[in-house]
Each structure stands twice: as C-alpha cells, then as structure tokens.
Amino acid sequence: MRVTLATHGGLAAPVRAGLSPDVVDTDALPESATAELCRLVDAAVLAASAAAEDREAHRSAPDAMSYSVTVEEGGHSSVLVQSDRDMSPEFAALLRWLKEHAVRE
Amino acid sequence: MTSELRHQCITPPYLLERLLKSDDGEVRQAALNTLLTTAHLRGERAVRAAFPGVATPGNARRTIYDCRNTTSLPFAVLARSEDRPESADVSVNRAFDKLGQTRDFFQRVFARNSIDGHGMRLDGYVHYGYEFANAFWNGRQMVFGDGDGRIFSDLTGSISVVAHELGHGVTEHTAGLEYHNQSGALNESMSDVFGAMVEQWTLGQTAELADWLIGREVFTPQVEADALRSMKAPGHAWNTKKFGKDPQPDHMSNYLNMPDTYEGDWGGVHYNSGIPNKAFYLTAATIGGYSWEAPGLIWYEALKASNSETRFQEFADTTYQKAGELYETGGAEQMAVLGAWQEVGISITGVSAGLARARSRTAGQKGDPLATVRSLTAQVQELSRDVAALKGRLTASR
C-alpha cells in the first residue's frame, strides 16, 4: 500500500505548490506500523463518510490549507480530502502520522 | 479506479460497507458516534450561518489559547488574556502583542473598533497542529502554527502575517469578498495591504523606506527567500531550488487563470493578488509619505464600498472615485491611483488611457511640488502628534 499526502493552499500557497508530496510505502514499514496506518486510514474514512457535502466551508476560511490523502493498493486508489477549517480528529491523527513517517518525493 | 472522499463527501462504497457492517461492536459504535458528532457540527454551522451579522462584543479584548499541538480549538487551554501577566511562552506573547498592535492600528488610523467595528474580541490560537506551517482566519478566530522547522518558522513571528489574518476578518465584516477568483485575490490583497500598513505603522516607516515584504520572518534561516510575497515586486520574493520561483503576476497581461478548486488555490487567490498589491504599492510610492494615510484610507473606503463579488476593475474604479471624494477630483492622490492601476494593466472606466498616462506621469514626477508639500505636511502632522503625546506623558507624570 502506498499513501501520498499532498497539501494545497494556505498563506504560502505558491511556495507549497512547488514542494513534493509526502509519501509512505508500507513495503518499507514494519508490520506493526502498517497495521497502525491502516487503522488510522479506516478511522479517517469513517469520520469523513459520516459528514455531508459542504464545499463552501472550505472557502469561508481564508488561508486554510486543504489536504488530499491518496491511498493506492492493488490497482485501486481512493482520495480523502479535508481542510484546516473542519478536519476530523481522526483525519488530524492520520495527518500527523504521515508527517512523522513520510519521505518526500 | 479512483474515488474521491472530500470531507463531507462521497464514500467509496467498498470501504464504507466494510466499516459499517463490521462484526466489531466498537467499530459500529464509532460509526454511530461519528454520525452524531458530525450531525451536531452541521447543526452548529447552520445556526451560525443564519446570523451572519451578529457581532461578538468584547471591547476588542485579546485572548490567546494554546492548542498544545492538537487541532482542537475547543480543547485549547487559556494562555494569556488582558488581565493576565505575560506568559513564559514566547509564541503566546508574540501573538498577544501583535494582535494588540493590529487592533490599535485599526482603532487609531481608521477609527475602527476591532474586526467587526463593534469591539469583537480577538481570539488567537497558537501551537496549532503538528509541524503546522500556516496561519488562517476561520471566521471567528485566528490560528497560528509553529512551522515545520525545516522551511517554515513559527508564524507568530511576523507582524505582517498576524495583521494579514486579522485583515481577513475585517474584509469579511465589510465587503465580504468571496474567496475565489478575482474577488478572492482582492480579499488576499487587502490582507497584504493591511499587513504592510500595520508593519510600517509600528515601525514609523514611510512608503519609500519600507521594503513592502509580506512574511519576511516565516522562512527558517536555511531557506534562501526574502519573504512570502513582495508588494513592490510581485514575482520576485523568492527563487529557490527547493520550491522554484515566486509566480505572482504584477500585470493583468500575466493574470493566471487557475481552477476554482482547492488544488487551484480557488482560482489563484494567492497568485493574482500580486496585481492589486502592486497597484497599492505604486499608489503609496507616488503619493509619498505614510502608506496608511491617503493610500490606506482610499483602499479602506473602497473596501467598505465593495461587495462580495467585486472584481479588479470595479475595485480600481472605486479607489479612483474614493480618491476624488476624500481628497480632490483631479488631485495628486486621484492621479496617483489612476496611474497605479494603469501600470498594472487596468484602465479606470471612463478615463482615456492617454490621459491616464499623461496625468500619472505628472503625479509621479520626482520633485513634484504638490507631492512634496503633502509629504512634508504629513511629516509635520506626525511630529505634532508625537509632541502632543509627549506633553501628555509629562503632564501625567507630574
């Protein structure tokens, strides 16, 4: 499984646009870390799925950043998007874990 | 196959089914809790949205909270308020002091009582998130991260950044410029204008002496970049191997048509703000003296006369109109505004380009007697204020 974190917008949006995304490949992780990552992804997806579409909320917080987490596994990929304005605690936990473990491409 | 899960968005069916039909009771309970929590949050947002004009009275009191590197504002702890002593935490004190400087700027320069004009309390949240390299205004509060320590430093270290964020609040309570495309770039530009003015005001700098940089302090010493943005020279704030070259345009001919999505910075709001930023700089440089006097007042009055959908052309026309109303039709200030917009590729409606060029040349001439007199008058007024303040202090100490 490969998980990529891309960060968009924010006060320094043009600077950020030039930076590489953060990437975690579970092939390079111990089994326990992979299990922890899967748990965090599942929790973030579950929290996101429970909420309703509210695109305007992203716009109503100037300088808030948006984050897209892409999970690729077995030819299938899904993308989870949240922002500073309204991220769930579960997504925040995933974000932190990815920042701590990722290597920049 | 790729599916997208926006927060509050579509769920990949395979994943959702797996989680919601789990045999594990804890997982099912978590699903139920999440549903209840998000339903509560949706309700709270709906209630707030029903009262957009409601002010938060508080005599513009400052309160700083420490998020302790979480993303939870409700669980942040009180770190400093108006009736508490200085904190041992430098970020707390910096946010407190800079919010105070920005609040004082709006009060003394524009007679504006806080963000909403009605004494709205100023709540700042520091140490937000983990290696959070950003600062933002969420509609009620200002949030500051510590930076990642590699590229970005603590965001409370920059007065132009703090004033920029508070400026978003002022814009929200005046024009309410929508945060996308040209209105969004104007929203960003107004925050940079406020950021630059507050910094110059705290330093007592004239337009000529100021560097017109936004976020000079945000990069770590390892990064070779002047600042986030340059209002004097958009597109020239940074040029590094690590993240490329500053892409801000300084002329309409280079306007960037970017997607109105989060990936496209909502139509390039942090990119195209370079155009009105340059127009403000040129106006201030041409008029001379302090940016927060004639140029700032013209921009501030134009902001108050704008609406949520105002675009560059309409805003430029409004600044021209306000310059004529506040000072003199055809006077040095109005001609400076005319020439500034002309130079970034925007002609004021109803004024021929030839006339604009001729008049702006006159207004911008070095040694222009009228501009010199105005600049000297402004300096004398400032000195008079200083002398009056000193007299007041002497009287009080007797």
Side-chain angles (χ1 to χ4, degrees), chain A residues 3 14 23 27-28 33 38-40 47 49 53 55 57 73 78 80 88 92 94-95 97 102:
Chain A
V3 182
V23 180
D27 286 349
C38 290
R39 189 190 67 75
L40 290 167
S49 66
E53 176 93 26
R55 188 168 184 268
E73 186 175 24
S78 60
L80 179 62
S88 66
L94 172 62
L95 205 58
W97 195 95

PDB file of all heavy atoms in Angstrom, chain A residues 3 14 23 27-28 33 38-40 47 49 53 55 57 73 78 80 88 92 94-95 97 102:
ATOM      1  N   VAL A   3       0.669   5.452   0.417  1.00  0.00           N
ATOM      2  CA  VAL A   3      -0.178   6.575   0.852  1.00  0.00           C
ATOM      3  C   VAL A   3       0.571   7.887   0.577  1.00  0.00           C
ATOM      4  O   VAL A   3       1.723   8.050   0.987  1.00  0.00           O
ATOM      5  CB  VAL A   3      -0.521   6.466   2.348  1.00  0.00           C
ATOM      6  CG1 VAL A   3      -1.435   7.617   2.776  1.00  0.00           C
ATOM      7  CG2 VAL A   3      -1.205   5.127   2.646  1.00  0.00           C
ATOM      8  N   PRO A  14       1.647  29.470  -3.048  1.00  0.00           N
ATOM      9  CA  PRO A  14       2.580  29.304  -4.177  1.00  0.00           C
ATOM     10  C   PRO A  14       3.866  28.585  -3.790  1.00  0.00           C
ATOM     11  O   PRO A  14       4.443  27.861  -4.599  1.00  0.00           O
ATOM     12  CB  PRO A  14       2.858  30.743  -4.616  1.00  0.00           C
ATOM     13  CG  PRO A  14       1.678  31.532  -4.130  1.00  0.00           C
ATOM     14  CD  PRO A  14       1.320  30.893  -2.819  1.00  0.00           C
ATOM     15  N   VAL A  23       5.176  10.873   1.066  1.00  0.00           N
ATOM     16  CA  VAL A  23       4.781   9.529   0.627  1.00  0.00           C
ATOM     17  C   VAL A  23       5.202   8.481   1.657  1.00  0.00           C
ATOM     18  O   VAL A  23       6.305   8.542   2.213  1.00  0.00           O
ATOM     19  CB  VAL A  23       5.435   9.181  -0.738  1.00  0.00           C
ATOM     20  CG1 VAL A  23       5.026   7.782  -1.181  1.00  0.00           C
ATOM     21  CG2 VAL A  23       5.049  10.199  -1.798  1.00  0.00           C
ATOM     22  N   ASP A  27       5.620  -1.143   2.107  1.00  0.00           N
ATOM     23  CA  ASP A  27       6.652  -2.163   1.877  1.00  0.00           C
ATOM     24  C   ASP A  27       7.890  -1.875   2.718  1.00  0.00           C
ATOM     25  O   ASP A  27       8.653  -2.784   3.048  1.00  0.00           O
ATOM     26  CB  ASP A  27       7.050  -2.196   0.395  1.00  0.00           C
ATOM     27  CG  ASP A  27       5.960  -2.841  -0.456  1.00  0.00           C
ATOM     28  OD1 ASP A  27       5.027  -3.428   0.143  1.00  0.00           O
ATOM     29  OD2 ASP A  27       6.023  -2.725  -1.692  1.00  0.00           O
ATOM     30  N   ALA A  28       8.073  -0.592   2.999  1.00  0.00           N
ATOM     31  CA  ALA A  28       9.267  -0.206   3.743  1.00  0.00           C
ATOM     32  C   ALA A  28       8.997  -0.077   5.238  1.00  0.00           C
ATOM     33  O   ALA A  28       9.844   0.393   5.989  1.00  0.00           O
ATOM     34  CB  ALA A  28       9.791   1.129   3.197  1.00  0.00           C
ATOM     35  N   ALA A  33       3.654  -0.962  12.113  1.00  0.00           N
ATOM     36  CA  ALA A  33       3.426   0.391  11.595  1.00  0.00           C
ATOM     37  C   ALA A  33       2.388   0.355  10.481  1.00  0.00           C
ATOM     38  O   ALA A  33       1.528   1.249  10.374  1.00  0.00           O
ATOM     39  CB  ALA A  33       4.730   0.990  11.094  1.00  0.00           C
ATOM     40  N   CYS A  38      -3.147   1.495   8.597  1.00  0.00           N
ATOM     41  CA  CYS A  38      -4.456   1.018   8.119  1.00  0.00           C
ATOM     42  C   CYS A  38      -5.569   1.439   9.079  1.00  0.00           C
ATOM     43  O   CYS A  38      -6.649   1.866   8.660  1.00  0.00           O
ATOM     44  CB  CYS A  38      -4.451  -0.496   7.943  1.00  0.00           C
ATOM     45  SG  CYS A  38      -3.444  -1.041   6.555  1.00  0.00           S
ATOM     46  N   ARG A  39      -5.281   1.333  10.362  1.00  0.00           N
ATOM     47  CA  ARG A  39      -6.279   1.713  11.357  1.00  0.00           C
ATOM     48  C   ARG A  39      -6.600   3.203  11.253  1.00  0.00           C
ATOM     49  O   ARG A  39      -7.762   3.616  11.294  1.00  0.00           O
ATOM     50  CB  ARG A  39      -5.759   1.389  12.766  1.00  0.00           C
ATOM     51  CG  ARG A  39      -6.790   1.548  13.875  1.00  0.00           C
ATOM     52  CD  ARG A  39      -6.181   1.467  15.257  1.00  0.00           C
ATOM     53  NE  ARG A  39      -5.303   2.583  15.566  1.00  0.00           N
ATOM     54  CZ  ARG A  39      -5.717   3.821  15.863  1.00  0.00           C
ATOM     55  NH1 ARG A  39      -7.006   4.083  15.865  1.00  0.00           N
ATOM     56  NH2 ARG A  39      -4.845   4.774  16.128  1.00  0.00           N
ATOM     57  N   LEU A  40      -5.561   4.021  11.094  1.00  0.00           N
ATOM     58  CA  LEU A  40      -5.766   5.474  11.002  1.00  0.00           C
ATOM     59  C   LEU A  40      -6.537   5.851   9.734  1.00  0.00           C
ATOM     60  O   LEU A  40      -7.406   6.726   9.759  1.00  0.00           O
ATOM     61  CB  LEU A  40      -4.412   6.199  11.034  1.00  0.00           C
ATOM     62  CG  LEU A  40      -3.677   6.176  12.376  1.00  0.00           C
ATOM     63  CD1 LEU A  40      -2.231   6.623  12.216  1.00  0.00           C
ATOM     64  CD2 LEU A  40      -4.391   7.081  13.387  1.00  0.00           C
ATOM     65  N   ALA A  47     -14.922   8.695   9.591  1.00  0.00           N
ATOM     66  CA  ALA A  47     -15.346  10.013  10.074  1.00  0.00           C
ATOM     67  C   ALA A  47     -15.790  10.890   8.916  1.00  0.00           C
ATOM     68  O   ALA A  47     -16.779  11.619   9.012  1.00  0.00           O
ATOM     69  CB  ALA A  47     -14.200  10.673  10.832  1.00  0.00           C
ATOM     70  N   SER A  49     -16.945   9.938   5.985  1.00  0.00           N
ATOM     71  CA  SER A  49     -18.137   9.434   5.315  1.00  0.00           C
ATOM     72  C   SER A  49     -19.408   9.820   6.053  1.00  0.00           C
ATOM     73  O   SER A  49     -20.483   9.870   5.468  1.00  0.00           O
ATOM     74  CB  SER A  49     -18.069   7.913   5.196  1.00  0.00           C
ATOM     75  OG  SER A  49     -18.123   7.343   6.480  1.00  0.00           O
ATOM     76  N   GLU A  53     -21.734  16.931   2.359  1.00  0.00           N
ATOM     77  CA  GLU A  53     -21.012  17.820   1.445  1.00  0.00           C
ATOM     78  C   GLU A  53     -21.197  19.267   1.871  1.00  0.00           C
ATOM     79  O   GLU A  53     -22.301  19.700   2.122  1.00  0.00           O
ATOM     80  CB  GLU A  53     -21.558  17.642   0.032  1.00  0.00           C
ATOM     81  CG  GLU A  53     -20.953  18.583  -0.986  1.00  0.00           C
ATOM     82  CD  GLU A  53     -19.761  17.971  -1.697  1.00  0.00           C
ATOM     83  OE1 GLU A  53     -19.694  16.745  -1.776  1.00  0.00           O
ATOM     84  OE2 GLU A  53     -18.935  18.738  -2.180  1.00  0.00           O
ATOM     85  N   ARG A  55     -18.993  22.266   0.465  1.00  0.00           N
ATOM     86  CA  ARG A  55     -17.855  22.817  -0.244  1.00  0.00           C
ATOM     87  C   ARG A  55     -17.565  24.262   0.183  1.00  0.00           C
ATOM     88  O   ARG A  55     -16.437  24.692   0.253  1.00  0.00           O
ATOM     89  CB  ARG A  55     -18.138  22.771  -1.745  1.00  0.00           C
ATOM     90  CG  ARG A  55     -16.952  23.153  -2.607  1.00  0.00           C
ATOM     91  CD  ARG A  55     -17.239  22.806  -4.054  1.00  0.00           C
ATOM     92  NE  ARG A  55     -16.091  23.062  -4.893  1.00  0.00           N
ATOM     93  CZ  ARG A  55     -15.902  24.227  -5.513  1.00  0.00           C
ATOM     94  NH1 ARG A  55     -16.757  25.196  -5.364  1.00  0.00           N
ATOM     95  NH2 ARG A  55     -14.855  24.395  -6.284  1.00  0.00           N
ATOM     96  N   ALA A  57     -17.718  25.614   2.984  1.00  0.00           N
ATOM     97  CA  ALA A  57     -16.992  25.735   4.247  1.00  0.00           C
ATOM     98  C   ALA A  57     -15.493  25.912   3.993  1.00  0.00           C
ATOM     99  O   ALA A  57     -14.814  26.612   4.730  1.00  0.00           O
ATOM    100  CB  ALA A  57     -17.224  24.515   5.114  1.00  0.00           C
ATOM    101  N   GLU A  73      -3.701   0.773  -3.566  1.00  0.00           N
ATOM    102  CA  GLU A  73      -3.480  -0.616  -3.169  1.00  0.00           C
ATOM    103  C   GLU A  73      -4.104  -1.541  -4.213  1.00  0.00           C
ATOM    104  O   GLU A  73      -5.290  -1.391  -4.542  1.00  0.00           O
ATOM    105  CB  GLU A  73      -4.116  -0.877  -1.789  1.00  0.00           C
ATOM    106  CG  GLU A  73      -3.809  -2.254  -1.228  1.00  0.00           C
ATOM    107  CD  GLU A  73      -4.357  -2.425   0.189  1.00  0.00           C
ATOM    108  OE1 GLU A  73      -5.311  -1.708   0.534  1.00  0.00           O
ATOM    109  OE2 GLU A  73      -3.828  -3.275   0.923  1.00  0.00           O
ATOM    110  N   SER A  78      -8.042   5.532  -3.742  1.00  0.00           N
ATOM    111  CA  SER A  78      -9.103   6.435  -3.282  1.00  0.00           C
ATOM    112  C   SER A  78      -8.443   7.651  -2.638  1.00  0.00           C
ATOM    113  O   SER A  78      -7.310   7.581  -2.162  1.00  0.00           O
ATOM    114  CB  SER A  78     -10.033   5.736  -2.286  1.00  0.00           C
ATOM    115  OG  SER A  78      -9.299   5.302  -1.178  1.00  0.00           O
ATOM    116  N   LEU A  80      -8.911  10.990  -0.037  1.00  0.00           N
ATOM    117  CA  LEU A  80      -9.638  11.615   1.063  1.00  0.00           C
ATOM    118  C   LEU A  80      -9.166  13.064   1.168  1.00  0.00           C
ATOM    119  O   LEU A  80      -7.973  13.316   1.263  1.00  0.00           O
ATOM    120  CB  LEU A  80      -9.340  10.865   2.360  1.00  0.00           C
ATOM    121  CG  LEU A  80      -9.969  11.367   3.654  1.00  0.00           C
ATOM    122  CD1 LEU A  80     -11.488  11.302   3.573  1.00  0.00           C
ATOM    123  CD2 LEU A  80      -9.464  10.539   4.826  1.00  0.00           C
ATOM    124  N   SER A  88     -11.574  16.284  10.792  1.00  0.00           N
ATOM    125  CA  SER A  88     -11.984  15.480  11.938  1.00  0.00           C
ATOM    126  C   SER A  88     -10.748  15.142  12.780  1.00  0.00           C
ATOM    127  O   SER A  88      -9.622  15.154  12.276  1.00  0.00           O
ATOM    128  CB  SER A  88     -12.629  14.183  11.452  1.00  0.00           C
ATOM    129  OG  SER A  88     -11.651  13.398  10.796  1.00  0.00           O
ATOM    130  N   ALA A  92      -6.900  14.347  11.520  1.00  0.00           N
ATOM    131  CA  ALA A  92      -5.737  15.025  12.108  1.00  0.00           C
ATOM    132  C   ALA A  92      -4.706  14.004  12.603  1.00  0.00           C
ATOM    133  O   ALA A  92      -3.501  14.196  12.439  1.00  0.00           O
ATOM    134  CB  ALA A  92      -6.182  15.923  13.261  1.00  0.00           C
ATOM    135  N   LEU A  94      -4.271  10.973  11.397  1.00  0.00           N
ATOM    136  CA  LEU A  94      -3.644  10.391  10.201  1.00  0.00           C
ATOM    137  C   LEU A  94      -2.588  11.336   9.633  1.00  0.00           C
ATOM    138  O   LEU A  94      -1.480  10.919   9.259  1.00  0.00           O
ATOM    139  CB  LEU A  94      -4.725  10.094   9.150  1.00  0.00           C
ATOM    140  CG  LEU A  94      -4.242   9.669   7.767  1.00  0.00           C
ATOM    141  CD1 LEU A  94      -3.449   8.365   7.835  1.00  0.00           C
ATOM    142  CD2 LEU A  94      -5.424   9.514   6.794  1.00  0.00           C
ATOM    143  N   LEU A  95      -2.965  12.637   9.584  1.00  0.00           N
ATOM    144  CA  LEU A  95      -2.048  13.661   9.052  1.00  0.00           C
ATOM    145  C   LEU A  95      -0.742  13.674   9.845  1.00  0.00           C
ATOM    146  O   LEU A  95       0.351  13.706   9.274  1.00  0.00           O
ATOM    147  CB  LEU A  95      -2.762  15.013   9.185  1.00  0.00           C
ATOM    148  CG  LEU A  95      -2.379  16.138   8.251  1.00  0.00           C
ATOM    149  CD1 LEU A  95      -2.577  15.735   6.809  1.00  0.00           C
ATOM    150  CD2 LEU A  95      -3.209  17.373   8.571  1.00  0.00           C
ATOM    151  N   TRP A  97       0.545  11.299  11.684  1.00  0.00           N
ATOM    152  CA  TRP A  97       1.302  10.064  11.477  1.00  0.00           C
ATOM    153  C   TRP A  97       2.056  10.124  10.144  1.00  0.00           C
ATOM    154  O   TRP A  97       3.226   9.744  10.052  1.00  0.00           O
ATOM    155  CB  TRP A  97       0.343   8.875  11.501  1.00  0.00           C
ATOM    156  CG  TRP A  97       1.032   7.551  11.645  1.00  0.00           C
ATOM    157  CD1 TRP A  97       1.264   6.858  12.797  1.00  0.00           C
ATOM    158  CD2 TRP A  97       1.602   6.762  10.585  1.00  0.00           C
ATOM    159  NE1 TRP A  97       1.936   5.690  12.532  1.00  0.00           N
ATOM    160  CE2 TRP A  97       2.167   5.605  11.179  1.00  0.00           C
ATOM    161  CE3 TRP A  97       1.705   6.917   9.211  1.00  0.00           C
ATOM    162  CZ2 TRP A  97       2.801   4.620  10.437  1.00  0.00           C
ATOM    163  CZ3 TRP A  97       2.356   5.947   8.457  1.00  0.00           C
ATOM    164  CH2 TRP A  97       2.893   4.804   9.079  1.00  0.00           C
ATOM    165  N   ALA A 102       6.569  10.003   6.696  1.00  0.00           N
ATOM    166  CA  ALA A 102       6.692  10.101   5.232  1.00  0.00           C
ATOM    167  C   ALA A 102       8.089  10.495   4.778  1.00  0.00           C
ATOM    168  O   ALA A 102       8.846  11.121   5.512  1.00  0.00           O
ATOM    169  CB  ALA A 102       5.693  11.120   4.709  1.00  0.00           C
TER     170      ALA A 102
END
